[in-house]
Amino acid sequence: MLHVAVVGSGPSGCYTAQSLVQADPEVLVDVLDRLPCPYGLVRYGVAPDHEKIKSLQNTLRSVLEHERVRFLGGVRVGPGGIPAPRLRELYHAVVYCVGAATDRRLGIPGEDLPGSWSATQFVAWYSAHPDAADDGFVHGVRSAVVVGVGNVAVDVTRMLARGATELSTTDIPQAALGTLAASRVGCIHMVGRRGPSQARFTTKELRELSGLPDTEVTVDPEELARDPEYADPSALPTARRRNVEVLRGWADEASARAGRAVPAASRSIALRFFLRPVELLADQGQVGAVRFERTVCDGRGGVAGTGRYEEIEAQLVLRSVGYRGLPLEGLPFDPVRGTVPHRAGRVLREDAVGPGEYVAGWIKRGPTGVIGTNRPDARETAASLLEDAPGLLRKDVPGDPLAALRAAGAEPVPWTGWQAIERAEAALGASLGRGVVKLADWRSLLAAARTAAP
């Protein structure tokens, strides 16, 4: 039988495994993950209050429970773990589905000041990623700036404004819940360098901001009007047109409220456009403000600076300007695109196909699309692999690579170990008077996994 290793258990990895076993009854798939928990960004990237999206875990679970799919968590591939060449020796084929592991930087002075973080780091903390550290993100913060106008930017903005009552019903770790409940963040600015018609958030995510309790959402009608497509968005793609319509509605509501006595909300979210960050300014050694340059449309789909500047107070800055893939041991890498060169999922080495090496997901195509985009992407890679199967099967591999993985120093967490983690998280939640509560550190996760029945 064809034995395939899929590295990464997020949507792209699970969809690849699913495509392989559905298309060929003679395929066995081991899904390897560095973490002891499966599901990738569905577990560690989707916001706790987005329970409908998180329910996708049920679909991914059905893949990992397939009789010809085996989950092996806690297996690092590359430096400090199983060398990639050794993994290649143990399987007929290896598919890398490792995503885009780092965030893009702003590249401006002051970016490394205390109080300046990537949105990825903040998301990892409130999602209980075991590599995350609680570095007091919101301690002493009155005003926050989120740089970016995509869905991740909306997520972190919404989480900063959420109250303890709403979050206590989610699986957010207890420490993060307590920290956010005690937060005194009163003003959050979500800022984009371009106009509202070019924002990348989805309309559903945008509308959620206006439904937050005791929170006022504001827009600047003058900034909106600077976008040439704001006045008549009819030619825009549907999603972007709807975004503009929502923002216009908020601007109209603000105008209607003008001059009327309205009870003050505890928090405010200000959506700002045509502002490009140029420097983070220090206050007593930490972030104290962000300096922005006003921009204008350049007529070519981009923006140009105007030489006019504005400063926004902030003790917390979260940048959300995209992700980047990182080089993988033993594989070629395109540093410009942040991806592995490939042809229909087959890894390319100097334009020649590397036998038995494949990619799927963000490391294949870049950080684009939504979760569902990974399904056709995975099918393409699986089809390429199965087309190559006659040649791949000529290679001799161990009957079961598990012993060799252990001999190389790995201590795989099996599916029963993950189920034990789930039971421990349910028990933790019950002890706190909540639902499921995530375990947030390596020690607790691995201790729970070891309670699985042998």
Side-chain angles (χ1 to χ4, degrees), residues 133-348:
D134 182 1
D135 286 297
F137 288 99
V138 297
H139 179 70
V141 175
R142 303 179 304 278
S143 177
V145 165
V146 178
V147 179
V149 284
N151 277 347
V152 174
V154 176
D155 277 351
V156 298
T157 296
R158 191 181 64 255
M159 288 296 292
L160 284 169
R162 277 287 191 204
T165 301
E166 304 108 76
L167 290 176
S168 63
T169 61
T170 73
D171 63 3
I172 188 171
Q174 189 68 13
L177 175 63
T179 299
L180 290 174
S183 166
R184 295 294 179 266
V185 178
C187 187
I188 307 155
H189 304 263
M190 189 170 73
V191 187
R193 64 186 177 87
R194 298 195 291 182
S197 71
Q198 296 170 310
R200 297 298 183 91
F201 39 63
T202 58
T203 308
K204 179 180 180 296
E205 291 258 0
L206 177 63
R207 284 180 174 145
E208 283 185 88
L209 294 179
S210 65
L212 295 172
D214 199 22
T215 301
E216 179 187 19
V217 179
T218 65
V219 292
D220 184 338
E222 291 186 7
E223 286 182 346
L224 300 178
R226 290 190 177 104
D227 189 331
E229 294 176 293
Y230 176 75
D232 180 11
S234 59
L236 291 172
T238 301
R240 290 164 56 191
R241 173 175 54 78
R242 288 175 177 165
N243 286 342
V244 169
E245 289 169 351
V246 170
L247 293 167
R248 178 188 284 137
W250 290 350
D252 291 343
E253 289 172 10
S255 298
R257 288 197 306 266
R260 292 186 305 175
V262 179
S266 297
R267 289 175 296 273
S268 67
I269 296 173
L271 274 64
R272 304 293 307 276
F273 298 95
F274 293 113
L275 291 172
R276 177 169 58 198
V278 294
E279 185 177 4
L280 304 190
L281 305 175
D283 179 10
Q284 298 182 1
Q286 301 203 6
V287 170
V290 185
R291 191 174 194 227
F292 292 93
E293 182 181 17
R294 172 66 65 189
T295 61
V296 294
C297 294
D298 64 5
R300 300 184 299 276
V303 292
T306 64
R308 293 184 289 116
Y309 298 90
E310 175 180 337
E311 292 179 8
I312 298 178
E313 177 193 353
Q315 297 80 40
L316 170 67
V317 176
L318 298 174
R319 64 181 181 273
S320 181
V321 291
Y323 298 91
R324 280 189 58 81
L326 293 176
L328 304 175
E329 180 192 48
L331 290 182
F333 187 72
D334 181 343
V336 176
R337 294 174 53 85
T339 58
V340 171
H342 71 94
R343 182 181 298 137
R346 299 177 177 93
V347 172
L348 292 177

Side-chain angles (χ1 to χ4, degrees), residues 13-36:
C14 287
Y15 290 148
T16 298
Q18 182 181 53
S19 297
L20 289 169
V21 297
Q22 286 182 343
D24 191 330
E26 298 295 314
V27 176
L28 298 174
V29 180
D30 283 349
V31 178
L32 282 54
D33 202 294
R34 182 178 69 87
L35 300 174

Side-chain angles (χ1 to χ4, degrees), residues 12 16 359-362 364-365 372-382:
S12 63
T16 298
V359 286
W362 280 1
K364 171 186 175 183
R365 69 179 189 274
T373 311
N374 290 291
R375 194 184 290 273
D377 179 284
R379 279 199 294 263
E380 179 188 59
T381 294

